[in-house]
Amino acid sequence: MRGGDRSRFASERVSGFTESVIREMTRLALRHGAVNLAQGFPDFPAPTEVKEAARRAIAADINQYAITWGSKHLRDAIAAKYKRTYGVELDPEREITVCCGSTEGMMASLLAVTNPGDEIIIFQPYYENYGPDAKLCGAARRFVSLHPPGWRFDPDELRAAFTSKTKAIILNSPNNPTGKVFTSEELAMVASHCREHDCLAITDEIYEHILYDGAQHIPLMTLDGMRERTLLVNSMSKTWSVTGWRVGWVIAPPDITGSVRKVHDFLTVGAAAPLQEAGAVALSLPEEYYIQLAESYRGRRDRLITILRECGFTLYPPRGAYYIMASVERSGFNDDVAYVRHLIETARVAAVPGSSFFESKTDGTALIRFCFCKKYETLDLAGERLRRSLLS
Ligand SMILES: Cc1ncc(COP(=O)(O)O)c(C=O)c1O
């Protein structure tokens, strides 16, 4: 291989990226045999009936490309599910695109609707993918802060974030990392700005069924005048504990769906065909499934809250999703990344540094995020280790 400056082989698009801190912490956790409460994937089995459906689909030789925007069975099941749960009528032929997880759904949506120079509004702290997603589109980002303890936003700051260049606002509720569930009043505010500024909302609703303490999920799409300006992104990953299957979907009005499908087709062609068939079974499970899912996560949340409080953390208990934000102000560290490294190396428990959810790495340094999508025995092992390390 000839020497020379190889940096010219890195596109400008990627050279601005830093590696995902969450994945880096996961690698460090593996090296130290740490309990991984960093990356949000369940360590317990997926529902038996869903796994059996996937096995049946492979045995039945559903092994070739599905229709690029999704198998008819899955799109019909998605339409039936949204009708049942939210009373939303969807046309599976013109309003649903199945893609490779909501990660692709978000990327395909942004690529489909933005031009370089457009502005995207993002609530902060935010799920780390939204940063690179917007950058890949050449879109500028404007941030609106969510403030602890209730993670509310300042209505004036939200209003000021909308400009003549705003193309879309990204709204993730229930929210990762804060556990915030946006209220109907907050959603109404967002909707009213979208209508007034004639812009879109891209909603990440991947935790829609993981809700606590009576919190209710309201899809922004169901608010007045929002159906025609909302792209709803969701996936099987969290609701059916299959983060590795990579099956998600985007729901959008027909004209926007047309654009999303074009991007999706050239990006990935389609999600795994047999897993889409299993998706159709998953989305047809009875209501009881979702009730049990939320109840099982409530138990895990309460267990981890008890453990972390015993260990002296100040917490912001979540109303949805499966993460807990903890303040580390009393830890003696003033650097969240150093503190998480210390936890991994000494307590052998991994978390995510708070700053990875902020644009400026000097923000969020007093916070760390734990996830609790784990078996009770995993949470208890983390508890034993944290107590031994922090209380002795
Ligand atoms: C808010 C949010 N959106 C999207 C994803 C990724 O979802 P998927 O597995 O469907 O790509 C995650 C995963 O942690 C998430 O927390």
Side-chain angles (χ1 to χ4, degrees):
M1 193 171 68
R2 280 193 295 151
D5 178 12
R6 297 187 59 79
S7 65
R8 72 186 188 88
F9 295 143
S11 72
E12 278 170 29
R13 246 174 261 119
V14 300
S15 48
F17 288 10
T18 46
E19 223 238 315
S20 154
V21 180
I22 302 187
R23 282 186 273 283
E24 186 196 331
M25 291 302 136
T26 295
R27 272 198 303 277
L28 197 64
L30 276 174
R31 194 177 322 141
H32 289 274
V35 179
N36 189 353
L37 301 189
Q39 208 178 5
F41 60 85
D43 67 350
F44 45 79
T48 307
E49 49 277 59
V50 177
K51 290 188 293 191
E52 276 171 2
R55 283 191 201 101
R56 275 199 308 275
I58 292 178
D61 263 321
I62 302 182
N63 294 316
Q64 312 309 326
Y65 301 121
I67 298 170
T68 176
W69 49 82
S71 91
K72 172 124 179 72
H73 285 151
L74 179 54
R75 281 180 291 117
D76 286 350
I78 292 169
K81 163 86 172 64
Y82 280 81
K83 171 97 175 92
R84 234 178 15 249
T85 310
Y86 302 113
V88 174
E89 298 268 4
L90 297 172
D91 178 352
E93 298 312 319
R94 302 191 313 144
E95 294 183 300
I96 299 173
T97 308
V98 174
C99 40
C100 298
S102 60
T103 299
E104 190 218 315
M106 180 58 73
M107 190 72 246
S109 296
L110 283 166
L111 284 169
V113 302
T114 60
N115 290 311
D118 285 346
E119 289 180 0
I120 304 291
I121 301 173
I122 300 174
F123 288 99
Q124 178 170 248
Y126 62 91
Y127 172 58
E128 62 170 0
N129 281 26
Y130 304 151
D133 285 352
K135 275 190 198 157
L136 282 173
C137 300
R141 289 153 309 147
R142 282 184 171 254
F143 296 96
V144 175
S145 301
L146 299 173
H147 302 280
W151 303 108
R152 297 189 72 84
F153 56 85
D154 173 355
D156 292 334
E157 194 187 340
L158 178 69
R159 185 174 309 113
F162 283 83
T163 73
S164 57
K165 291 186 179 164
T166 308
K167 180 58 72 67
I169 181 167
I170 296 180
L171 187 121
N172 169 219
S173 180
N175 183 258
N176 171 12
T178 63
K180 176 186 175 67
V181 179
F182 282 69
T183 63
S184 54
E185 292 75 26
E186 289 171 327
L187 295 173
M189 255 185 259
V190 171
S192 121
H193 293 306
C194 287
R195 288 189 303 261
E196 187 186 326
H197 289 85
D198 189 22
C199 62
L200 301 168
I202 309 181
T203 62
D204 178 339
E205 306 192 13
I206 189 166
Y207 298 103
E208 65 176 328
H209 288 293
I210 305 180
L211 297 162
Y212 316 110
D213 309 330
Q216 267 210 326
H217 175 65
I218 306 167
L220 189 65
M221 167 182 284
T222 59
L223 272 66
D224 257 6
M226 289 308 287
R227 181 68 193 279
E228 65 257 36
R229 53 179 75 253
T230 303
L231 292 85
L232 183 160
V233 178
N234 202 341
S235 95
M236 291 184 70
S237 288
K238 312 289 175 172
T239 305
W240 292 276
S241 306
V242 288
T243 58
W245 280 23
R246 318 307 307 133
V247 178
W249 54 90
V250 178
I251 297 170
D255 56 338
I256 296 178
T257 292
S259 305
V260 172
R261 286 179 175 181
K262 281 180 199 156
V263 177
H264 160 75
D265 192 6
F266 293 112
L267 217 49
T268 63
V269 179
L275 303 184
Q276 293 193 44
E277 294 306 311
V281 170
L283 274 110
S284 309
L285 290 178
E287 198 51 27
E288 188 56 27
Y289 174 76
Y290 305 103
I291 295 169
Q292 275 172 14
L293 178 82
E295 181 52 22
S296 93
Y297 274 122
R298 189 200 51 75
R300 295 171 212 278
R301 175 195 69 159
D302 292 352
R303 178 73 60 94
L304 188 60
I305 286 179
T306 306
I307 292 169
L308 295 176
R309 283 201 171 130
E310 267 173 36
C311 292
F313 289 101
T314 304
L315 305 179
Y316 305 107
R319 303 198 70 222
Y322 49 49
Y323 307 95
I324 301 178
M325 286 290 246
S327 161
V328 293
E329 253 157 348
R330 286 187 287 155
S331 67
F333 280 77
N334 55 10
D335 173 345
D336 57 328
V337 178
Y339 183 63
V340 168
R341 278 181 191 282
H342 170 79
L343 271 188
I344 294 175
E345 287 163 9
T346 57
R348 293 199 296 132
V349 174
V352 179
S355 55
S356 46
F357 304 107
F358 289 82
E359 186 56 13
S360 158
K361 296 309 160 209
T362 55
D363 289 333
T365 53
L367 296 167
I368 61 175
R369 190 201 72 179
F370 293 93
C371 71
F372 54 85
C373 46
K374 303 293 169 188
K375 294 179 197 146
Y376 282 100
E377 63 203 69
T378 309
L379 298 175
D380 290 343
L381 178 61
E384 257 170 54
R385 290 181 176 186
L386 287 171
R387 280 190 210 98
R388 203 177 315 132
S389 169
L390 299 175
L391 301 181
S392 57

